[in-house]
Amino acid sequence: NEQDAADLVEYLNGEYRESGVKSGVSGDLGKKDWAKERVKNGHPEPYGVKYFEIGNEVWHGDHRNIKNTQPEEYARRYLKYYEAMKASDSSISVGVILSESDWTKEVLEIIKDRLDFAIIHTYPSPKADWNKLEGMDVKDIFNISLNSAILKTEIRIQEILRFLREKSGKDVPLAVTEYNAGFPYKYRHSLGSALINAELLRIFMKPKHHILMANLWNFVNEAWGMI
C-alpha cells in the first residue's frame, strides 16, 4: 500500500541522525525509523533513488491472473502513492503509467499536474497477439514492424506529450521502461530485430520527444534477453 511505499522511500533516501530526530517523512518518533534500519543493514549513506514508477501495465492485469485495473481506480490509487511518497522525500520523481489514448485521457483527467514523468512501453509488431504471427511470412513481419516503429511509435509519443501538456499544464518527460521488437522468439536475435531497436533509439533520441530514459526489455536471460 501507499504507506509501504513511503517507508521504502524513507529507507532508501532518509538521512539517519543519531539524535533520533529524523529527516524523513515526519517527526513522529513513534514510527519506525527506516533510515536507521538501513544503517543497521550496512548502508549508512542514503541510496539517493530518484525515480519511482507506480504500477506496471495494470490496464491488462499482471501475468499471474490478477484482473485489470480501470483508469479511475488506478488514478485514485496513484494519487495516494504520490502524496505519501512525496511526504517521505519531496525531491523524488514519481511517474504515472500510460496506455492507449482513452485509458491515458481518463487517468490524466484525474491526476492533472501531480506527476513528474510518464511511463510508456512499445513493442512494434504486426499484431497485438504475437502468437498469431507464426503463420506470417517473415518479410511481412519485418516490413510491418519497421513501419510501425517509424510511424505508430513516433506518432504515439507525440500524441501522449500533447495529452500531458493539455491535462497537466506543463511539459512532462517520458520514461520508456520497456521496449523491444514485438514478434516470435525465434526472430528475437535477428538483424530485423536489431534494425527495429535501432529505429526506436533514433526516435527516443529526438529532443522534441522529451525521453527521460529508455530501457530495453529485457537485458539478461530468457528468449527476450539481449544476453
Side-chain angles (χ1 to χ4, degrees):
N1 61 30
E2 62 271 16
Q3 185 57 56
D4 291 332
D7 291 343
L8 174 62
V9 172
E10 185 180 337
Y11 179 89
L12 293 170
N13 295 350
E15 293 183 11
Y16 174 64
R17 299 176 183 175
E18 291 188 13
S19 65
V21 178
K22 299 184 295 179
S23 59
V25 279
S26 68
D28 181 5
L29 296 179
K31 182 181 178 300
K32 189 166 188 174
D33 189 334
W34 288 103
K36 184 177 181 179
E37 290 298 309
R38 184 193 66 242
V39 174
K40 285 167 57 178
N41 290 335
H43 204 286
E45 296 300 316
Y47 286 98
V49 178
K50 182 175 182 180
Y51 300 105
F52 292 85
E53 173 180 354
I54 308 302
N56 177 65
E57 296 189 2
V58 297
W59 57 86
H60 68 58
D62 75 2
H63 300 284
R64 294 176 177 83
N65 298 318
I66 296 176
K67 69 176 184 177
N68 65 319
T69 303
Q70 295 303 307
E72 298 89 348
E73 179 186 358
Y74 170 75
R76 287 195 299 271
R77 293 175 66 183
Y78 165 86
L79 288 173
K80 290 181 179 180
Y81 277 78
Y82 179 88
E83 299 297 338
M85 295 169 76
K86 287 281 193 174
S88 279
D89 181 357
S90 62
S91 72
I92 64 171
S93 292
V94 179
V96 63
I97 60 171
L98 303 179
S99 180
E100 298 308 319
S101 58
D102 288 343
W103 204 90
T104 291
K105 286 178 183 177
E106 291 183 50
V107 169
L108 295 178
E109 287 281 359
I110 296 170
I111 70 169
K112 302 187 186 303
D113 64 345
R114 284 170 288 182
L115 75 165
D116 301 303
F117 64 101
I119 297 104
I120 63 170
H121 296 167
T122 185
Y123 293 93
S125 172
K127 295 183 179 180
D129 184 351
W130 300 345
N131 295 322
K132 294 179 180 178
L133 299 178
E134 294 293 345
M136 285 185 68
D137 182 271
V138 65
K139 290 183 179 179
D140 291 336
I141 290 175
F142 288 122
N143 282 335
I144 296 171
S145 296
L146 274 165
N147 280 318
S148 176
I150 297 168
L151 299 175
K152 291 183 180 179
T153 300
E154 194 152 10
I155 291 170
R156 180 180 174 224
I157 286 173
Q158 293 168 7
E159 183 181 67
I160 287 174
L161 288 172
R162 188 170 63 253
F163 286 156
L164 285 165
R165 211 173 292 116
E166 177 187 326
K167 301 302 179 185
S168 71
K170 60 184 180 180
D171 289 324
V172 178
L174 294 177
V176 187
T177 58
E178 290 185 27
Y179 76 89
N180 207 329
F183 35 66
Y185 292 154
K186 61 184 177 182
Y187 304 129
R188 185 66 58 194
H189 297 135
S190 65
L191 176 59
S193 180
L195 289 171
I196 288 167
N197 280 296
E199 191 63 34
L200 288 173
L201 288 173
R202 180 192 66 79
I203 293 168
F204 300 155
M205 290 171 67
K206 284 188 174 183
K208 70 176 183 178
H209 290 155
H210 211 177
I211 303 297
L212 174 69
M213 66 180 81
N215 311 111
L216 180 77
W217 181 262
N218 62 4
F219 189 64
V220 179
N221 300 330
E222 300 179 344
W224 295 77
M226 179 183 286
I227 297 176

